[in-house]
């Protein structure tokens, strides 16, 4: 059990993830704070980089995904990528293709083959992790209108060859192999 007495930012995270090796728990909070918890030695660390940002009002942490030595943090204004060993910010994605700057990411997932998929109020976007996340042109997007949805995609899960996204009214399936 971990509490604020152990160093947690608050007792109510909005999302969490475990690193692939199972040794580190990452907690995200509505104000943009992150905690990392070393599950071996119970060391708790607080990261306030997103909290200190003044550019966007919504700093909430909505989803966390890890791959290799990177932690992808979905926020109310885009994606922040941390080096998962030093916990320094590597890069940020603040715009996806031609969508407006600062679109919040509602949900995010990584495919085993190295693609990042996100759902936003604008629609769904993806990019290969071999591309530069910060370049808007690295992202391929599908607007809510393009896929025939009248409400935003609030949830996304990516698999090797398919992606499943959901709204409050329907679940959509996309076969990656069909492009």
């Amino acid at each position: 059990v971990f509490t604020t007495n152990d160093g947690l930012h608050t007792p109510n995270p909005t999302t969490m993830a475990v690193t692939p090796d199972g040794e580190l728990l990452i907690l995200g909070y509505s104000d943009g704070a992150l905690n990392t918890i070393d599950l071996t030695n119970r060391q708790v660390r607080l990261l306030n980089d997103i909290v200190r940002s003044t550019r966007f009002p919504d700093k909430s942490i909505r989803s966390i995904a890890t791959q290799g030595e990177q932690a992808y943090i979905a926020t109310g204004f885009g994606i922040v990528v941390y080096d998962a060993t030093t916990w320094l910010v590597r890069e940020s994605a603040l715009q996806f293709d031609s969508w407006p700057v600062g679109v919040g990411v509602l949900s995010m997932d990584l495919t085993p083959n190295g693609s990042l998929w996100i759902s936003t109020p604008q629609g769904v976007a993806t990019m290969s992790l071999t591309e530069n996340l910060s370049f808007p042109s690295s992202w391929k997007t599908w607007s809510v209108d393009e896929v025939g949805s009248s409400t935003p995609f609030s949830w996304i899960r990516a698999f090797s060859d398919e992606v499943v996204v959901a709204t409050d009214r329907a679940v959509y399936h996309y076969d990656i192999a069909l492009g």
Side-chain angles (χ1 to χ4, degrees), residues 106 119 144 149-155 165-172:
L106 301 174
S119 62
V144 172
S149 175
S150 59
T151 58
F153 296 108
S154 56
W155 180 86
V165 292
T167 70
D168 61 351
R169 297 186 182 149
V171 176
Y172 297 81

Side-chain angles (χ1 to χ4, degrees), residues 50 56 60-61 63-65 70-82 89-96 102-110 116-120 125-127 129 133-134 139:
I50 296 169
F56 301 101
S60 60
I61 307 298
S63 185
I64 301 169
Q70 296 192 69
Y72 298 85
I73 312 298
T75 71
F77 60 83
I79 298 171
V80 177
V81 182
Y82 279 85
V89 173
R90 280 190 173 177
E91 63 180 321
S92 299
L94 305 176
Q95 184 177 14
F96 310 105
V103 169
V105 176
L106 301 174
S107 184
M108 170 179 63
D109 204 10
L110 297 164
L116 177 62
W117 287 81
I118 63 170
S119 62
T120 76
T126 187
M127 65 158 297
L129 294 178
L133 180 107
S134 302
W139 293 87

Side-chain angles (χ1 to χ4, degrees), residues 20 23-24 34 37 62 86 92 108 112 116 144 168:
E23 294 183 9
L24 195 71
L34 291 163
I37 303 171
R62 300 173 174 183
T86 64
S92 299
M108 170 179 63
L116 177 62
V144 172
D168 61 351

Side-chain angles (χ1 to χ4, degrees), residues 13-93:
T14 54
T15 189
M16 67 178 73
V18 176
T19 55
D21 62 12
E23 294 183 9
L24 195 71
L25 177 65
I26 308 162
L27 304 175
Y29 299 93
S30 60
D31 65 354
L34 291 163
N35 276 128
T36 61
I37 303 171
D38 185 317
L39 297 173
T40 304
N41 65 22
R42 299 184 52 86
Q43 183 179 15
V44 178
R45 180 177 184 176
L46 177 63
L47 303 170
N48 279 320
D49 302 294
I50 296 169
V51 173
R52 289 192 310 265
S53 169
T54 58
R55 186 169 177 193
F56 301 101
D58 184 354
K59 303 170 192 175
S60 60
I61 307 298
R62 300 173 174 183
S63 185
I64 301 169
T66 62
Q67 186 173 56
E69 293 184 2
Q70 296 192 69
Y72 298 85
I73 312 298
T75 71
F77 60 83
I79 298 171
V80 177
V81 182
Y82 279 85
D83 180 305
T85 54
T86 64
W87 291 101
L88 296 173
V89 173
R90 280 190 173 177
E91 63 180 321
S92 299

